[in-house]
Amino acid sequence: MGIKKFMIPFILASSIIFCVIIIVTLLLTNPISKFQPVVKPTLTLQSTTNTQYPVAFAYLISSSKGDLEKLKRVLFALYHPNNYYLLHMDQGAPKAEHFELAKFVSEEPVFSQIGNVWIVGKPNLVTYRGPTMLATTLHAMSLLLRSCKWDWFINLSASDYPLITQDDLIHSFSKLPKHLNFIQHSSRLGWKLNKRGKPIMIDPGLYSLNKSEIWWVIKQRSLPTSFKLYTGSAWTILSRSFAEYCIIGWDNLPRTLLLYYTNFVSSPEGYFQTLVCNSEYYKNTVVNHDLHFIAWDNPPKQHPKSLGIKYFKKMIQRNVTFARKFKQDDPVLDKIDRELLRRKHGEFSYGGWCFEGNEEKPARSTCSSLKSENFGVLKPGPGSIRLDSLLTDFCSVRSIRRQCR
């Protein structure tokens, strides 16, 4: 009898412990942060015209210590209910900044209604010029492939800023084949052959909990002969098909190159270029442009110039989608908001999904909340016309066939 009395509470306690372990396990294995907003069941995202958006984008926006306010601003400027946004804040950032970011995402009403803004629950320790930057990008691609349906993946930082609205971008890309990859590349490595192709470096971020600089191995290696090296911009727009190939490639090239670039300085400026151009299946899908405006010194230094008012006209004339890099709250950002994005402080960029006001008097219009009856409605503007002009030149069959030389 005593044993039975003992067994009953023991079984109950064991059951409770087992349930707790299962719940904790599920929480810890969730690939997206627990701060992921939830779509409210009362919200019906149906437009009055029964239309849906033709294409969708998945964004990775990376940030580090001190970037919180820039990250908030660029997210507002980029946001669209049809897209997906994964935010990564470097593990080395203060805990207070991680908490404030999570609070910001969870408390923004539109993000909560739609449920398409997420935070990487277990962020990576990112080392400047190290492969941990590339690992973060691949990690984000993997999470987004598992979580939602999209057509192109775009990686940006908190120092980037859009020059057109998301309605402009969706409208222009809806005219393109969905297999295209925007990867600025060149096989003319020049000084990079000896400065990057031969040296061997180690990124402590791969094995250490503490942030530190990369360090160099004394012995150098010869240039590869089983594949051809390419270099280019770290900022890309990748098709879903190519993203799947990078993560679960059916041949071994993605993994072989990933191992090679683990010891390659500034690997994000070479991995995707070398992979796409050495792949027989994807080398004819490359558009040689990153759709960015970036100003460099002559000769180029390690970092690009910070953009200000004097670059505003040049940015528009390039017909591109994004520009970088910007200092926090630089006056040129206010000018971009006002003249290109039709965006007010604390509100979203102009778009059919949230527009409220007078078309003929945009200065009085607002874009601060979701108009669910307008879901699926696009209102492209001058930015789409500019981008169409660039895409016509770079996305022709003749132009694409001349890439990866």
Side-chain angles (χ1 to χ4, degrees), residues 30 42 139 189 206 208 210 213 249 253 331 334 344 370 401:
N30 186 359
T42 56
H139 181 201
L189 272 64
L206 294 174
S208 175
N210 301 315
E213 294 294 324
L253 184 61
D334 295 330
K344 296 180 180 180
L370 174 69
R401 286 179 177 174

Side-chain angles (χ1 to χ4, degrees), residues 61-64 67-74 156-161 235 324-326 333:
I61 309 176
S62 301
S63 62
S64 55
D67 285 343
L68 180 60
E69 294 306 315
K70 290 198 296 182
L71 180 57
K72 290 180 181 179
R73 181 167 186 165
V74 73
L156 299 174
S157 79
S159 296
D160 290 84
Y161 212 71
W235 313 106
R324 74 180 320 270
K325 62 179 185 175
F326 295 96
L333 294 176

